[in-house]
Amino acid sequence: VIRAVMLAVLWVPLQMAGSPIDWREGVAMIWSGLRGAVSLTLAIIIDEEPAVSREMGARIMFHVGGIAALTLLVNATTAAPLLRALGLARSSGADQRKLSVLSKHLAQHTQEIKGKHDTKDLRFKDVNEALLVAMVPSLKPQAQAPSEESSTETLQAYREAFLQVVKSHYWTSIHQGLLPPTSQSARLLLSSVDVALDSASESLSDWEAIKASFQTDEQGGAGWYSQILQKLSGEYSMGELLQKAYLVLSFMEAHRCAGEELPRFFHGDDQQVQQQVAEESAAECAQAEEMLKALPADLVMLARTEMFARKLLQEQLHEVDELKERGLLTSILTLLHRPKNEWLALKDGAK
């Protein structure tokens, strides 16, 4: 009851901070979570207090411990059915399908490596094939078992894999310096994948999550509360239109890369599923491109130039690290940092 009251009181701030939550997630938050940890700690403190009688301390421990145990027994055993009833639980069938496809890819990859090994290498001469197969089970010929998964589960598995590849490209952009890690663009892109994974059984919806965040900001839903949170968290300062340009360009590139990379793991399986997800991705990219075209052309050019400059400067820093490891680093450090410092000064002057 107390948790429900706290969630009701904090519902509006929770909607403003980060990704909004719906009523199903609220129910799961109320029903799940740690039970009685603080209460038991306080009960133990009271029980050990010399001013409290042993009888009273034992009674408090009994009641608090009993309630904590009861909530654990009831809530823990019913949490999984509740999540399934609310539609928040992941499909085990989709997970099994994804595991099956990736296991097949791993086996084929191992076979390719085995076929390409250097026959002149004396270390691998006269290998016992039977023993090798016993040591590396993935080399065993795998019978093609008829697929029992439904098309819905196969679609969900492929969409989830697609979104995870998209998310990995966002992280790569952040690590390469193309996306400032504390910027709103990076936060929205990463959170959009998390939101889209919840509805992967229906369609790709990461762009819808991004649009919903933009609409909330435009309607003033975030307002001063969100601005204060951004300042407290040290969010990277960037103009709203430039943020959109960064976001849309990163979104389209991540989807393009995922569309090219994922079929390599799924091979020739489920061509119809791959085609459907590719069409869903293309439709989302078309909407993203419309937003990009609505932005000023010079601003989009600035965003592209800045991202490319970030990439080059990051590569320079990597080269500095390599030179440092080899003991060749002297005054070249100042030389390589000078262009970045000049660019930052120029950017500050433009503001």
Side-chain angles (χ1 to χ4, degrees):
V1 176
I2 295 176
R3 186 171 297 186
V5 172
M6 290 178 59
L7 187 62
V9 172
L10 297 174
W11 183 262
V12 175
L14 286 173
Q15 296 295 91
M16 292 180 177
S19 302
I21 61 175
D22 59 19
W23 67 270
R24 300 177 304 164
E25 295 169 330
V27 171
M29 291 167 65
I30 294 171
W31 194 254
S32 307
L34 294 175
R35 297 286 168 174
V38 177
S39 302
L40 282 173
T41 303
L42 295 175
I44 292 172
I45 293 175
I46 293 176
D47 188 38
E48 296 294 329
E49 177 62 40
V52 179
S53 65
R54 299 295 299 173
E55 181 182 356
M56 179 61 69
R59 185 181 302 172
I60 292 175
M61 282 293 298
F62 173 77
H63 287 295
V64 173
I67 293 174
L70 184 62
T71 55
L72 279 173
L73 290 173
V74 175
N75 293 75
T77 55
T78 56
L82 175 66
L83 292 175
R84 285 194 293 268
L86 293 173
L88 297 176
R90 293 170 57 84
S91 169
S92 59
D95 288 338
Q96 288 296 326
R97 177 56 179 163
K98 190 159 49 176
L99 180 61
S100 173
V101 170
L102 294 179
S103 297
K104 180 181 176 181
H105 164 75
L106 186 60
Q108 292 183 2
H109 181 67
T110 307
Q111 290 283 4
E112 292 175 1
I113 294 176
K114 177 178 177 291
K116 293 178 180 178
H117 83 279
D118 188 2
T119 56
K120 297 180 181 179
D121 195 325
L122 298 177
R123 296 171 297 176
F124 308 141
K125 190 176 181 180
D126 298 330
V127 171
N128 187 312
E129 290 290 337
L131 185 58
L132 180 64
V133 171
M135 292 179 174
V136 187
S138 57
L139 291 176
K140 294 179 181 179
Q142 297 181 349
Q144 293 290 338
S147 177
E148 298 179 357
E149 292 85 0
S150 65
S151 59
T152 302
E153 290 177 342
T154 304
L155 266 170
Q156 180 178 350
Y158 195 83
R159 289 192 189 108
E160 289 178 355
F162 187 93
L163 289 169
Q164 292 293 0
V165 174
V166 167
K167 190 174 185 178
S168 73
H169 278 281
Y170 292 154
W171 279 115
T172 299
S173 296
I174 291 173
H175 294 152
Q176 290 179 344
L178 275 71
L179 272 176
T182 58
S183 66
Q184 183 186 21
S185 302
R187 179 173 58 82
L188 286 180
L189 289 169
L190 293 172
S191 64
S192 69
V193 175
D194 295 332
V195 173
L197 284 171
D198 294 335
S199 58
S201 59
E202 302 170 7
S203 65
L204 290 179
S205 58
D206 48 333
W207 180 250
E208 291 298 324
I210 292 173
K211 282 203 308 183
S213 298
F214 279 147
Q215 291 171 358
T216 301
D217 292 342
E218 291 172 358
Q219 294 170 3
W224 60 269
Y225 182 82
S226 179
Q227 293 176 7
I228 292 176
L229 287 179
Q230 291 172 8
K231 291 181 179 179
L232 291 176
S233 62
E235 183 168 300
Y236 184 82
S237 177
M238 187 186 296
E240 180 182 349
L241 294 180
L242 194 59
Q243 289 270 18
K244 285 186 177 182
Y246 266 70
L247 185 145
V248 174
L249 291 171
S250 300
F251 175 89
M252 294 174 64
E253 177 62 15
H255 270 248
R256 183 191 69 82
C257 293
E260 293 179 356
E261 293 176 13
L262 200 57
R264 181 170 66 89
F265 300 102
F266 279 73
H267 300 283
D269 300 333
D270 307 310
Q271 291 292 340
Q272 292 183 345
V273 168
Q274 295 186 33
Q275 181 64 27
Q276 181 173 340
V277 175
E279 291 174 357
E280 293 174 2
S281 175
E284 287 197 312
C285 288
Q287 296 181 46
E289 190 171 4
E290 289 180 5
M291 178 179 288
L292 190 66
K293 290 180 178 178
L295 297 175
D298 56 343
L299 185 137
V300 175
M301 180 193 66
L302 174 62
R304 286 180 164 137
T305 305
E306 278 194 9
M307 294 178 80
F308 192 38
R310 289 175 179 276
K311 179 178 177 62
L312 295 177
L313 290 171
Q314 193 68 26
E315 291 296 330
Q316 283 188 343
L317 292 177
H318 289 162
E319 185 67 16
V320 167
D321 292 336
E322 184 174 350
L323 292 171
K324 185 177 180 180
E325 290 178 1
R326 297 185 178 184
L328 301 175
L329 185 61
T330 54
S331 60
I332 193 172
L333 180 61
T334 304
L335 179 63
L336 290 178
H337 275 288
R338 188 181 302 160
K340 181 178 180 181
N341 295 334
E342 292 176 352
W343 173 71
L344 291 175
L346 179 64
K347 183 178 179 182
D348 292 338
K351 292 181 180 179

